[in-house]
């Protein structure tokens, strides 16, 4: 079940900063531990930057969610960029197309509890991550 949802367009570096700030605020509101707040903000920052740099910009939607057992935060990163041609390669630690450390997707996946990706070459990428309260 979704509670309140907040959406931010990501078209500039300043928008990536705004995403980090929003995720931190919602994580505090949801009472995530400080460690889990840091993990989620780090993952969101990396994925928002990927949305901007590789997807050409897009939108980020941050929602507080609840299932039968616990509350959490779900973030959806969506772009209409070129998509990811080889997901297995993209998830390989050290692989990069942009000169970074190559820990983006695989690192973000390790920092959250749930990670889903839908991508189609020429159509874009949507990544949904969830971090649950402990």
């Amino acid at each position: 079940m979704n509670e309140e949802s907040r959406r931010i367009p990501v078209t500039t570096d300043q928008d990536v900063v705004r995403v980090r700030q929003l995720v931190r605020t919602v994580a505090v509101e949801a009472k995530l531990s400080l460690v889990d707040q840091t993990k989620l903000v780090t993952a969101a920052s990396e994925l928002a930057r990927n949305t901007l740099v590789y997807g050409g910009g897009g939108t980020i939607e941050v929602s507080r969610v609840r299932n039968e057992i616990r509350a959490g935060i779900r973030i959806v990163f969506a772009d209409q960029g070129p998509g990811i041609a080889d997901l297995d390669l993209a998830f390989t630690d050290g692989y990069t197309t942009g000169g970074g450390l190559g820990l983006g997707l695989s690192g973000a996946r390790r920092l959250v509890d749930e990670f889903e990706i839908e991508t189609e070459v020429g159509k874009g990428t949507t990544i949904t991550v969830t971090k649950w309260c402990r």
Side-chain angles (χ1 to χ4, degrees), residues 40-117:
L40 185 61
V41 170
T42 301
S45 180
E46 180 61 36
L47 295 171
R49 176 139 319 276
N50 284 0
T51 299
L52 176 63
V53 172
Y54 302 112
T59 59
I60 310 313
E61 186 172 356
V62 181
S63 306
R64 289 179 60 182
V65 293
R66 175 174 293 284
N67 65 18
E68 306 80 33
I69 304 168
R70 57 193 168 180
I73 298 172
R74 179 163 295 137
I75 311 170
V76 179
F77 304 82
D79 68 60
Q80 273 90 48
I84 302 170
D86 187 338
L87 272 179
D88 289 335
L89 185 59
F91 277 105
T92 302
D93 283 347
Y95 174 76
T96 179
T97 59
L101 294 176
L103 298 174
L105 288 178
S106 60
R109 181 169 58 180
R110 284 191 294 269
L111 293 170
V112 297
D113 298 316
E114 296 175 14
F115 186 104
E116 299 171 20
I117 185 166

Side-chain angles (χ1 to χ4, degrees), residues 5 13 15 21 23 29 45 55 75 83 89 100 103 106 119 131:
S5 170
D13 287 336
D15 293 331
Q21 292 168 339
V23 170
E29 291 170 358
S45 180
I75 311 170
L89 185 59
L103 298 174
S106 60
T119 188
K131 189 75 174 166

